[in-house]
């Protein structure tokens, strides 16, 4: 699969104000470039104390601009020229002082001047604060940040954790990868703005005894990609995950469960508060009738224990049967006759939309192809990486919301 270029064609004006976190901005330039963006770096004088323009020039492949008095600009209006060609301005790191300056509309250096001079409706401003936790918590900073957001800026972070000063708390600048993902998300169309989306993902694990259990090869990748895509599309997302080792997508609320019954107990009370339910989890069909308290030991006479199984609840069918049901989307992993099996499953579960895929082609992989089946027929989403598929599916779901969801 070729690497996705989610920021292809985007030109980002990256501003650095003074902060230790500037070292992350070097990596950020690389991340943004890898995602296809072109990056023009502007640095304040304070920023130059933390990282050199040489480093930033080498990484961005463009001379860094530091002064409004730089006579190299033919019209001597760097603040105008820079902001007219940018698709967005990102200030990372944004110091407490720089944020205060933005709030006051001051413009006594090139970066603040550019922030003020940018066409507000064409060149959005994103701000990644970076400062000591006391500075972040100070009422003046909090007041300034509220005002900055009220003025239309988008706040990215800050994160929490170890700080360069040795203290621990809120105020760390987000990592380069997180900032790049936030930029990508920022540019996605907000097809699910104001919607709440509930997603199940991964396998379940049904314990036989304290060390063994029944599970399957589901990696959770499709469900996690959908959670990210829905969040990028502006939805408030809750992800109920079986045992998987995947990072939680930014801005997604995650509940970890192990068994099908735990998954159902988490999902059922949440479902009526959501507009959409997407069941991607590969829920184990059966669980052991009883779970042994202690490890089942091998018998000396080589007798093999018999495992009695009980059927697990069907979470998707249970949600679809709720009087206040969200728009329900199911997945059907089949090994053959995809259209027929998916169509039958959609009717059996009484859901408006089902997404078919071939099990062996998807489990654990980063790419797949999908077959969408609803009351009007079926169509394919062609082979792609799972985030691309997830974004396409989010578009399909968004297009179906608003219409009354007739029972299948
Ligand atoms: O019946 P089958 O397991 O093939 O159905 C698959 C769909 O139903 C998926 O969307 C899956 O997440 C959901 N499901 C569920 N609870 C189960 C079994 C399947 O929610 N116990």
């Amino acid at each position: 699969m070729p690497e996705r270029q989610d920021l292809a064609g985007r030109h980002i004006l990256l501003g650095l104000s003074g902060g230790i976190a500037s070292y992350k901005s070097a990596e950020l330039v690389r991340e943004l470039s890898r995602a296809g963006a072109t990056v023009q770096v502007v640095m304040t004088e304070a920023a130059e104390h933390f990282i050199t323009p040489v480093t930033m020039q080498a990484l961005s492949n463009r001379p860094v601009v530091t002064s409004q008095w730089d006579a190299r600009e033919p019209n001597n209006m760097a603040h105008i020229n820079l902001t007219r060609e940018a698709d967005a301005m990102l200030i990372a790191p944004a110091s407490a002082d720089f944020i205060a300056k933005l709030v006051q509309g001051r413009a006594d250096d090139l970066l603040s001047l550019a922030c003020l001079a940018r066409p507000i409706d064409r060149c959005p401003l994103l701000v990644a604060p970076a400062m000591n936790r006391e500075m972040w918590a100070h009422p003046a900073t909090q007041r300034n940040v509220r005002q900055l957001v009220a003025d239309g800026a988008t706040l990215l972070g800050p994160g929490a954790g170890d700080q360069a000063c040795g203290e621990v708390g809120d105020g760390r600048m987000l990592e380069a990868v997180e900032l790049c993902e936030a930029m990508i998300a920022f540019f996605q169309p907000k097809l699910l703005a104001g919607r709440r989306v509930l997603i199940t993902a991964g396998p379940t694990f049904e314990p036989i005894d304290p060390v063994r259990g029944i599970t399957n090869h589901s990696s959770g990748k499709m469900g996690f990609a959908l959670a990210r895509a829905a969040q990028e599309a502006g939805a408030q997302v809750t992800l109920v995950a079986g045992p998987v080792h995947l990072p939680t997508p930014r801005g997604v609320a995650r509940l970890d469960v192990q068994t099908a019954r735990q998954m159902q107990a988490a999902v059922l009370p949440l479902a009526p508060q959501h507009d959409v339910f997407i069941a991607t989890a590969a829920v184990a069909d059966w669980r052991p009738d009883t779970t042994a308290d202690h490890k089942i030991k091998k018998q000396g006479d080589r007798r093999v224990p018999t495992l009695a199984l009980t059927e697990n609840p069907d979470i998707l069918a249970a949600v679809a049967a709720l009087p206040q049901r969200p728009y329900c989307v199911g997945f059907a992993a089949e090994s053959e006759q995809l259209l027929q099996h998916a169509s039958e499953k959609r009717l059996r579960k009484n859901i408006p939309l089902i997404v078919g895929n071939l099990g062996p082609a998807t489990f654990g992989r980063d790419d797949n192809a999908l077959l969408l089946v609803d009351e009007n027929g079926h169509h394919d989403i062609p082979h792609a990486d799972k985030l691309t598929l997830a974004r396409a599916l989010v578009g399909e779901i968004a297009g179906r919301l608003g219409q009354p969801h007739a029972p299948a």
Side-chain angles (χ1 to χ4, degrees):
M1 268 290 116
E3 213 175 320
R4 265 193 342 271
Q5 296 259 293
D6 288 325
L7 293 175
R10 305 284 187 187
H11 183 61
I12 314 288
L13 195 53
L14 175 64
L16 277 66
S17 59
I20 305 273
S22 297
Y23 74 91
K24 296 184 188 175
S25 308
E27 190 63 37
L28 176 58
V29 174
R30 300 201 62 184
E31 289 295 329
L32 294 170
S33 308
R34 217 174 277 146
T38 48
V39 183
Q40 172 64 59
V41 177
V42 180
M43 293 171 67
T44 64
E45 195 194 330
E48 288 187 62
H49 288 280
F50 294 94
I51 191 165
T52 69
V54 175
T55 303
M56 301 307 286
Q57 174 174 351
L59 293 172
S60 63
N61 207 20
R62 284 167 180 252
V64 171
V65 205
T66 55
S67 164
Q68 71 270 41
W69 310 121
D70 187 339
R72 284 174 304 177
E73 284 290 314
N75 62 356
N76 220 307
M77 293 188 202
H79 60 298
I80 304 292
N81 306 341
L82 292 171
T83 52
R84 297 313 183 261
E85 61 184 19
D87 293 301
M89 267 189 93
L90 168 61
I91 311 298
S95 65
D97 178 61
F98 195 76
I99 290 172
K101 219 163 163 174
L102 287 178
V103 168
Q104 290 187 356
R106 279 165 47 205
D108 59 358
D109 64 10
L110 178 59
L111 188 56
S112 54
L113 188 56
C115 287
L116 200 64
R118 72 186 213 285
I120 220 161
D121 47 344
R122 273 198 294 119
C123 180
L125 177 65
L126 297 96
V127 176
M131 65 197 75
N132 165 268
R133 66 192 175 108
E134 299 291 359
M135 293 170 76
W136 172 252
H138 195 284
T141 305
Q142 289 299 309
R143 187 172 61 238
N144 286 340
V145 166
R146 273 196 303 277
Q147 186 58 53
L148 194 62
V149 171
D151 289 347
T154 298
L155 202 64
L156 305 180
D162 292 339
Q163 303 205 306
C165 51
E167 297 180 3
V168 180
D170 290 339
R172 275 175 67 93
M173 187 166 92
L174 295 183
E175 300 302 322
V177 173
E178 295 175 292
L179 286 175
C180 185
E181 279 186 11
M183 283 308 289
I184 292 169
F186 181 80
F187 285 118
Q188 292 300 315
K190 302 298 168 217
L191 300 172
L192 291 177
R195 304 282 193 178
R196 281 165 303 180
V197 177
L198 178 62
I199 300 171
T200 62
T204 63
F205 181 91
E206 314 293 335
I208 296 170
D209 67 17
V211 296
R212 304 182 183 93
I214 300 173
T215 188
N216 58 64
H217 281 308
S218 168
S219 62
K221 285 179 180 171
M222 192 63 215
F224 276 62
L226 271 165
R228 175 172 168 183
Q231 196 275 340
E232 287 177 345
Q236 201 180 309
V237 182
T238 313
L239 177 62
V240 180
V244 291
H245 299 284
L246 291 174
T248 311
R250 232 175 59 82
V252 167
R254 172 174 176 176
L255 291 170
D256 283 323
V257 297
Q258 203 184 28
T259 68
R261 283 187 297 175
Q262 288 168 356
M263 190 172 271
Q264 188 184 38
V267 164
L268 281 185
L270 290 174
Q273 304 154 30
H274 287 78
D275 302 293
V276 179
F277 175 55
I278 312 176
T280 67
V283 183
D285 290 316
W286 305 283
R287 65 173 183 276
D289 220 352
T290 53
T291 302
D293 289 336
H294 298 286
K295 184 180 173 191
I296 302 170
K297 305 300 269 181
K298 273 195 276 190
Q299 303 295 323
D301 57 6
R302 298 196 149 194
R303 257 188 305 135
V304 177
T306 17
L307 210 55
L309 299 176
T310 307
E311 197 170 356
N312 265 329
D314 188 320
I315 303 166
L316 176 55
V319 171
L322 290 172
Q324 240 191 306
R325 71 176 195 168
Y327 183 86
C328 290
V329 183
F331 269 70
E334 306 293 341
S335 57
E336 39 106 47
Q337 293 188 304
L338 190 52
L339 177 58
Q340 188 193 330
H341 289 310
S343 307
E344 285 167 9
K345 201 165 283 183
R346 187 182 82 82
L347 295 173
R348 198 166 60 241
K349 301 208 184 223
N350 190 27
I351 54 174
L353 177 64
I354 195 151
V355 183
N357 57 100
L358 292 170
T362 177
F363 273 23
R365 295 186 55 119
D366 291 323
D367 54 295
N368 195 7
L370 305 178
L371 174 73
L372 268 57
V373 185
D374 68 7
E375 61 184 341
N376 298 319
H378 61 93
H379 76 267
D380 292 308
I381 302 184
H383 190 258
D385 66 274
K386 285 185 175 173
L387 184 56
T388 301
L389 294 175
R391 287 181 181 146
L393 184 53
V394 158
E396 295 280 350
I397 294 170
R400 287 167 169 81
L401 295 178
Q403 307 155 12
H405 26 102

